[in-house]
Structure formats: C-alpha cells, structure tokens
Amino acid sequence: MIEQPMFFAGNPIYRASNERRDPDWVEQALNAESSCFLPVSKLEFPATTGREGKLLWGDRSWLKASTKPEEPIFLGNFKGRAHFAFDVADPRLALDSLGLGGMASFLGLRDLASVLSSEEAAIAAQARSLMEWHARHPFCSGCGNRSIHRNGGSSRHCPKCQTDHFPRLDPVAIVLVVKGDKCLLGRSGRFGRNLYSALAGFIEYGESIEEAARREIKEESGIEVGEVRYVASQPWPFPYSLMVGCYGEALSETIVLDKEELADARWFSKEHVKKALAGEATDLSVPGKLAIARHLIESWVGGGSF
C-alpha cells in the first residue's frame, strides 16, 4: 500500500464552501488587508527559482496587473488568510508592473511542482484546474449566453437562463497490471523511446472503477484482468483529472496492441523494473515522482501486490 502522499494532494486550504455562497462574505474577503493574491498567466505561476522554489503571493494592490474584468477566483482560507487567483496576460509586463522583474519567472506547474512545498504544489494544482475550467467554459452550455463567476468563482451562472454550471472532474483509472513476478507497462507515442508507464483511461458513464480498469486494459493491450484493487488516488491538474490508481490481476499474457492508443506494451520482470528505478536500465525508464504511476510501480517493486 502506498503510504507517502501524492504530489498535488494534501491541499491545506479550507474551501469555505458554505461561506462563499454569500456575496458579501466574498467581498469582505476580497477587500481584507490580509488576503493573498496569486497572478496566473497562461496557466503559469510566478515563483522564485532554485532548489526551494516558492509561489509569489501579493496583496490586493497586485490586482492592478489583472487583465480580466471578472473578480479573482477564491481558492479558500489558509493560515487565517483568504487566498485568490487572478488572470494576467503578459507575464513579463505583469512582473514589471509588480516590481518583480528579474526577481521571478512565470513557470508551468510541471516544472514548479518538484521544487515547491507539498502544500503550495497542491494549492497551485487547485488554482490551475479552476483557472483552466473557467477559461474553457465562458458560455452557458444550455443557451449559449456568456456566463459569470458565482460563489467566489467556484461555479458559473447564466444570467439569461438562470442555469448554474459547476466544475467537473475527469476520473481516470490507472492500473499496474501484474502477473506473478511481472508487470505490464505501455508506451504512448508521445513518450520518449524508452519511457513506459502503467496503462490508464477515462472512466465512462455507467462504469465502476473496476469495470473501467478491465475495459481499458483489454482495449489497449488485449490482456484480460480479473481482480482490481484500489491503491491510491491523485489530483492531476492537466487539466482537471482525478487519477484512480489500482493494481490489476492479469488472467492472460498475450498482448494484442491497440496501435492507436499505444506505441508498445511489454511485460517487465521485477528485477528489470528495479534497475529502471535505479537508473541502471538502458532500455527502460519509468515516470518521474510527480506521477502516481511511479508510486504504483515503486510500491509493487517494494512488495505491494494482491
């Protein structure tokens, strides 16, 4: 069983779900001197760089760099302070207007996550997913009218047809299939030549996690899977998925590859995977520590199984 927390999990923010329904409460938080504001440019964040990177939060005066007419998105309260995220367009101009030119850079979350504290990485993951959801859903899906922020940006509201719209997670089953002392790993055409990972796919309507896991593995690799055991989950803010990590027990061994989904899939022995984790395999590399696939693989190599 995986014991260490996943990257992007462990968000310490209190989301104030009930309080943020009150527009006056949100307005007070927005105007409070103690509130913190995080500028976001093209889903990148301002941060100091180095071994211990840190997100750069400012006070309300930072909103002068905002490029959107909508109010900042309320993330929640942390350490007695309200935290908001807001849009800026040009990262260079934003840094200059905030007096941070030459002192910080806007960086993507994949680059930042490994140097941020686990708390800040989780907060940034929340902010990234919310900001992208708002950017992708500016119009009402019912009538086509432009919608507006509601409840501090935790939802959108259509003034024309009075429909409320809420962010939706995309659940993904990611499965390390094992058979005895071997595990099944696949390589996407987007991956590097030797990078293999656990197989994954979106959970569809009318499916349980276990059913989705079996279907995806069968479709992509031709392998029949019996028992499926949940291991751990991970928020994955690219853009707004929830990775549901499982072990799957293989009932067959012959791989029949779906070449539209995978460039390759193979069985790898535990010893082979151990070498890859140690960086000693020339023909196999595995995902980095940001990904739940890495944790599934490490846990299995360390003795985790059914």
Side-chain angles (χ1 to χ4, degrees):
M1 184 64 68
I2 295 174
E3 295 181 356
Q4 68 268 38
M6 296 293 123
F7 270 93
F8 307 127
N11 193 333
I13 273 186
Y14 169 64
R15 299 178 190 235
S17 298
N18 293 330
E19 295 92 329
R20 68 189 179 195
R21 296 174 190 163
D22 180 354
D24 292 335
W25 186 92
V26 175
E27 186 68 19
Q28 287 179 8
L30 193 59
N31 290 306
E33 291 186 6
S34 61
S35 293
C36 303
F37 296 85
L38 179 67
V40 182
S41 176
K42 300 175 182 177
L43 302 178
E44 294 189 339
F45 301 90
T48 57
T49 55
R51 283 185 146 184
E52 296 183 4
K54 192 172 182 61
L55 294 179
L56 295 177
W57 298 82
D59 58 24
R60 186 175 171 80
S61 69
W62 278 31
L63 292 180
K64 64 188 177 186
S66 176
T67 54
K68 293 286 182 72
E70 295 178 316
E71 293 283 4
I73 293 171
F74 173 67
L75 302 175
N77 289 337
F78 180 47
K79 295 183 177 178
R81 296 182 175 187
H83 284 60
F84 293 84
F86 67 98
D87 264 313
V88 296
D90 187 308
R92 183 184 59 80
L93 293 178
L95 290 175
D96 288 343
S97 69
L98 298 174
L100 298 173
M103 300 169 57
S105 300
F106 274 86
L107 299 170
L109 191 49
R110 292 180 190 270
D111 295 323
L112 274 175
S114 60
V115 297
L116 293 176
S117 69
S118 60
E119 289 180 341
E120 284 211 313
I123 293 171
Q126 176 195 359
R128 190 192 190 284
S129 289
L130 267 175
M131 298 292 278
E132 183 154 8
W133 179 77
H134 279 284
R136 290 188 180 203
H137 299 85
F139 299 101
C140 175
S141 59
C143 70
N145 192 62
R146 179 171 285 277
S147 58
I148 58 174
H149 284 193
R150 195 171 201 178
N151 298 335
S154 63
S155 63
R156 298 189 70 89
H157 177 73
C158 177
K160 185 175 181 181
C161 69
Q162 300 300 306
T163 300
D164 291 323
H165 301 277
F166 299 89
R168 294 290 187 263
L169 279 175
D170 296 328
V172 177
I174 179 165
V175 190
L176 184 67
V177 177
V178 300
K179 188 171 182 63
D181 208 37
K182 300 180 295 184
C183 74
L184 178 70
L185 299 176
R187 180 172 66 81
S188 166
R190 304 185 305 273
F191 290 178
R193 185 165 171 265
N194 295 324
L195 177 60
Y196 287 75
S197 182
L199 275 58
F202 290 103
I203 299 172
E204 297 183 358
Y205 294 144
E207 279 188 322
S208 67
I209 294 170
E210 294 83 358
E211 290 166 341
R214 295 186 188 104
R215 174 185 56 77
E216 283 289 344
I217 299 302
K218 177 68 174 176
E219 289 175 352
E220 293 186 0
S221 69
I223 299 298
E224 298 280 355
V225 172
E227 183 182 353
V228 174
R229 181 165 68 83
Y230 169 79
V231 180
S233 63
Q234 178 189 32
W236 191 247
F238 306 104
Y240 24 73
S241 294
L242 177 66
M243 307 300 292
V244 183
C246 302
Y247 286 140
E249 180 186 23
L251 301 179
S252 62
E253 292 188 57
T254 302
I255 295 172
V256 181
L257 199 66
D258 179 351
K259 294 186 178 180
E260 290 188 7
E261 293 290 333
L262 295 174
D264 190 24
R266 301 182 195 176
W267 291 102
F268 292 93
S269 70
K270 189 170 287 190
E271 284 303 314
H272 198 161
V273 176
K274 280 183 180 179
K275 288 183 179 179
L277 288 169
E280 298 171 356
T282 59
D283 61 341
L284 173 64
S285 60
V286 294
K289 292 185 179 294
L290 288 187
I292 192 173
R294 172 71 173 233
H295 295 263
L296 290 170
I297 293 167
E298 287 181 339
S299 181
W300 174 70
V301 165
S305 188
F306 286 96

